[in-house]
Amino acid sequence: GDSVTQMEGPVTLSEEAFLTINCTYTATGYPSLFWYVQYPGEGLQLLLKATKADDKGSNKGFEATYRKETTSFHLEKGSVQVSDSAVYFCALSDRGSNFGNEKLTFGTGTRLTIIP
Amino acid sequence: DVKVTQSSRYLVKRTGEKVFLECVQDMDHENMFWYRQDPGLGLRLIYFSYDVKMKEKGDIPEGYSVSREKKERFSLILESASTNQTSMYLCASMGSTDTQYFGPGTRLTVL
């Protein structure tokens, strides 16, 4: 079945540091890939997504590139801020042959803390 | 903006009680989902629904049931709450794209 493996946390960085959170996946079909973010006390919200190989998703200074050859979708940001402190989830949606019945498979989440 | 609301942010129940968690979305989305979130396990899908009165089991449906009588409302039911159902419960909805929109979550404690 489908699965997502992401970098174990927690991750603690200083403000303005470079961030990478690794994510790899296994899927039988042609998945879309997502990063969701959960700020303290809130639900998840979509950060970025990519729907096909070599697509790059970007938002709020974060980027991730859909790499089919390495089955990866690593999240990066060049200079993190205290406000980026949150839990980050990698996920995939594999439509396969079940159009209209898409489900998300999530990784376990990576807690990121940014220190001023 | 899509808005998904959940009936309670925090809930405390006793073992054996019947528990209802309500979720409402305002974007006319066909698909709705219930997840539970536990540390180290991420989000796990309990049930989902792709139309009114339709439901499908997710990865961990045992001990739960759902109801979708109206398009905008998706309810999660714990028939007889147990302590191992203490968790954060997240509802989501999805329309014609593959992006899910989440509610703020209900933190349920079963004593």
Side-chain angles (χ1 to χ4, degrees):
Chain A
D2 298 343
S3 67
V4 175
T5 302
Q6 66 179 98
M7 182 176 177
E8 293 282 334
V11 174
T12 303
L13 295 172
S14 297
E15 205 166 21
E16 299 184 3
F18 184 86
L19 169 71
T20 301
I21 301 177
N22 291 335
C23 172
T24 57
Y25 68 90
T26 58
T28 53
Y30 305 97
S32 295
L33 301 174
F34 305 80
W35 278 100
Y36 279 82
V37 59
Q38 185 178 33
Y39 297 105
E42 298 182 13
L44 277 69
Q45 57 184 270
L46 179 67
L47 180 60
L48 53 84
K49 72 176 186 180
T51 58
K52 61 183 186 297
D54 299 326
D55 270 2
K56 177 185 283 189
S58 62
N59 187 24
K60 299 181 180 180
F62 291 88
E63 292 183 340
T65 301
Y66 189 142
R67 302 280 188 204
K68 190 175 180 184
E69 64 277 13
T70 54
T71 62
S72 65
F73 193 55
H74 304 322
L75 182 68
E76 296 182 337
K77 187 174 185 182
S79 177
V80 292
Q81 306 300 313
V82 172
S83 57
D84 294 327
S85 297
V87 181
Y88 292 81
F89 292 90
C90 185
L92 70 82
S93 171
D94 191 355
R95 292 188 173 184
S97 60
N98 294 326
F99 182 79
N101 196 19
E102 296 86 356
K103 297 182 291 181
L104 284 176
T105 299
F106 284 89
T108 54
T110 301
R111 182 175 297 277
L112 174 66
T113 302
I114 307 301
I115 299 171
Chain B
D1 278 352
V2 175
K3 191 165 182 66
V4 179
T5 57
Q6 296 183 227
S7 49
S8 305
R9 293 299 300 270
Y10 300 93
L11 207 52
V12 179
K13 295 292 182 181
R14 298 213 173 268
T15 302
E17 280 193 81
K18 190 168 187 176
V19 182
F20 293 86
L21 302 182
E22 302 281 339
C23 176
V24 177
Q25 51 96 2
D26 67 354
M27 282 303 290
D28 202 36
H29 285 170
E30 294 82 12
N31 304 283
M32 296 187 75
F33 307 82
W34 275 107
Y35 297 89
R36 63 177 284 175
Q37 180 181 5
D38 300 288
L41 297 177
L43 273 72
R44 293 178 291 167
L45 182 64
I46 304 171
Y47 267 97
F48 64 102
S49 168
Y50 53 89
D51 204 350
V52 176
K53 296 192 185 295
M54 305 302 288
K55 60 184 179 183
E56 294 279 346
K57 293 180 179 179
D59 300 317
I60 52 164
E62 296 78 18
Y64 303 94
S65 62
V66 291
S67 173
R68 185 123 182 247
E69 296 297 318
K70 294 185 178 181
K71 192 174 187 179
E72 67 271 18
R73 188 179 298 269
F74 192 36
S75 302
L76 180 69
I77 303 154
L78 288 66
E79 294 289 341
S80 177
S82 63
T83 55
N84 62 12
Q85 293 178 309
T86 292
S87 187
M88 171 71 88
Y89 290 88
L90 292 167
C91 174
S93 73
M94 182 177 75
S96 56
T97 68
D98 53 7
T99 299
Q100 292 192 16
Y101 297 87
F102 284 81
T106 295
R107 186 167 295 281
L108 173 67
T109 301
V110 182
L111 302 175

